Amino acid sequence: GRTGWCGGAIYFATSKNATYTKATGPDSHKGAMLECQVDVGRVLHLNKRCYTGIQRMNQARLNQKGYDSVVFNPGDGDEHVIWNKTKVLSIKQVSLH
């Protein structure tokens, strides 16, 4: 997507049920559910607004800090965030129900 707490990135919930409260942004669509294996690498833990202190995180800032991904909790459970699509190792479509 182009928007989100951490900007334009790929966001992952930690469970199937968690996706129902998370996939709500303008770039989100509820037409399919994907189960993905993701190489999160070295994870930076951020606050609920995905701020580093004065700025939102992005790939360049993440690289400068020596991290590969972000985890943050906007209030409804953890979200893992990556900017590099090659970190998605596998994708499988699963039932919505």
Side-chain angles (χ1 to χ4, degrees), residues 5 15 19 21 23 31-32 40 49 55 57 63 66 68 73 80 82:
W5 286 114
S15 73
T19 64
T21 61
V40 294
R49 299 268 190 246
Q55 298 175 315
M57 185 52 65
N63 291 344
D68 303 297
N73 182 341
H80 292 267
I82 62 170

Side-chain angles (χ1 to χ4, degrees), residues 4-7 46 49-52 54-58 61:
W5 286 114
C6 299
L46 292 178
R49 299 268 190 246
C50 200
Y51 276 108
T52 61
I54 58 170
Q55 298 175 315
R56 289 194 195 274
M57 185 52 65
N58 62 30
R61 291 185 189 110

Side-chain angles (χ1 to χ4, degrees), residues 39-44 62 65-70:
D39 175 6
V40 294
R42 188 164 178 232
V43 180
L44 177 63
L62 195 66
K65 293 180 173 293
Y67 290 93
D68 303 297
S69 67
V70 164

Side-chain angles (χ1 to χ4, degrees), residues 12 35-40 82 86-92:
F12 299 91
E35 181 179 295
C36 302
Q37 182 181 7
V38 180
D39 175 6
V40 294
I82 62 170
T86 65
K87 296 291 186 177
V88 179
L89 305 177
S90 67
I91 302 171
K92 177 175 77 170

Side-chain angles (χ1 to χ4, degrees), residues 4-5 8-9 13 16 22-23 25 27-28 32 39-41 50 53 56 59 65 67-68 73 76 79 81 83-84:
W5 286 114
K16 184 176 181 177
K22 294 184 174 298
D27 291 336
S28 298
D39 175 6
V40 294
C50 200
R56 289 194 195 274
Q59 183 67 58
K65 293 180 173 293
Y67 290 93
D68 303 297
N73 182 341
D76 61 350
E79 293 188 28
V81 185
W83 285 263
N84 182 348

